[in-house]
Amino acid sequence: MIPSIIFGGTYKDNRGLLRYNNSFDASIVKRIYIIENNLNFIRGWQGHKIEQRWFCSVQGSFRIKLMEIDDWNSPSKSLVHKEIKLEAKKLDVLHIPQGYVSCIQAIENNSKLLVMADYSIDEIKDEYRYDLNYFYN
């Protein structure tokens, strides 16, 4: 699987604005949390061999870099990342399948990123972290 965007939308009338995502199926989500990074902080590289994640900017915007890992014990340092921008204007959801690591940076003050996972905390041991400068790109 490859990362994909599940597009949301907006509806506006005289009552106000509604953000929605009618295409996102949250039935396998077991937990949620919100990340609020300081503006200059970069969180990464972190990922999961088995777990999936879904990211949704609920306030502000984020730059998210993703890389598929080739060897979890000693990944190639020259892996190529894909960069995605998530904005709170719509309720777009970024699906990150198993096998990927991410690097997250807020690009607006007071940004909030909703994170959803398909495993409960401590249900499995599946967290991998690599130094921010481990990869060449």
Side-chain angles (χ1 to χ4, degrees), residues 65-122:
K65 295 179 182 178
L66 301 171
M67 267 192 288
E68 186 172 18
I69 297 298
D70 58 350
D71 178 344
W72 290 92
N73 295 319
S74 181
S76 170
K77 292 181 182 252
S78 60
L79 293 174
V80 177
H81 71 265
K82 176 179 184 172
E83 187 171 310
I84 296 164
K85 183 178 178 183
L86 279 182
E87 300 175 291
K89 293 176 185 175
K90 295 183 185 172
L91 207 56
D92 291 348
V93 175
L94 170 62
H95 174 233
I96 304 169
Q98 61 190 27
Y100 283 81
V101 293
S102 63
C103 184
I104 301 166
Q105 182 178 16
I107 51 179
E108 290 181 51
N109 283 320
N110 303 313
S111 293
K112 297 179 183 182
L113 185 69
L114 176 68
V115 181
M116 297 166 274
D118 64 344
Y119 282 85
S120 300
I121 198 157
D122 295 330

Side-chain angles (χ1 to χ4, degrees), residues 7-137:
F7 294 103
T10 59
Y11 176 78
K12 186 175 182 176
D13 65 15
N14 64 331
R15 298 170 292 176
L17 180 70
L18 172 73
R19 292 186 293 159
Y20 62 88
N21 193 317
N22 296 333
S23 300
F24 175 59
D25 178 1
S27 62
I28 64 171
V29 172
K30 291 190 175 181
R31 67 186 174 100
I32 62 173
Y33 54 94
I34 290 180
I35 295 173
E36 296 181 56
N37 284 351
N38 294 330
L39 194 56
N40 295 319
F41 179 74
I42 301 173
R43 182 184 300 266
W45 293 96
Q46 179 179 325
H48 306 277
K49 190 175 181 179
I50 300 168
E51 293 184 60
Q52 301 178 80
R53 290 286 192 278
W54 294 266
F55 291 169
C56 180
S57 178
V58 294
Q59 184 171 314
S61 58
F62 288 84
R63 177 178 300 113
I64 300 171
K65 295 179 182 178
L66 301 171
M67 267 192 288
E68 186 172 18
I69 297 298
D70 58 350
D71 178 344
W72 290 92
N73 295 319
S74 181
S76 170
K77 292 181 182 252
S78 60
L79 293 174
V80 177
H81 71 265
K82 176 179 184 172
E83 187 171 310
I84 296 164
K85 183 178 178 183
L86 279 182
E87 300 175 291
K89 293 176 185 175
K90 295 183 185 172
L91 207 56
D92 291 348
V93 175
L94 170 62
H95 174 233
I96 304 169
Q98 61 190 27
Y100 283 81
V101 293
S102 63
C103 184
I104 301 166
Q105 182 178 16
I107 51 179
E108 290 181 51
N109 283 320
N110 303 313
S111 293
K112 297 179 183 182
L113 185 69
L114 176 68
V115 181
M116 297 166 274
D118 64 344
Y119 282 85
S120 300
I121 198 157
D122 295 330
E123 186 175 349
I124 60 173
K125 300 294 181 203
D126 184 44
E127 188 168 309
Y128 294 83
R129 294 176 187 247
Y130 305 98
D131 184 84
L132 193 56
N133 298 312
Y134 179 85
F135 301 101
Y136 295 140
N137 59 41

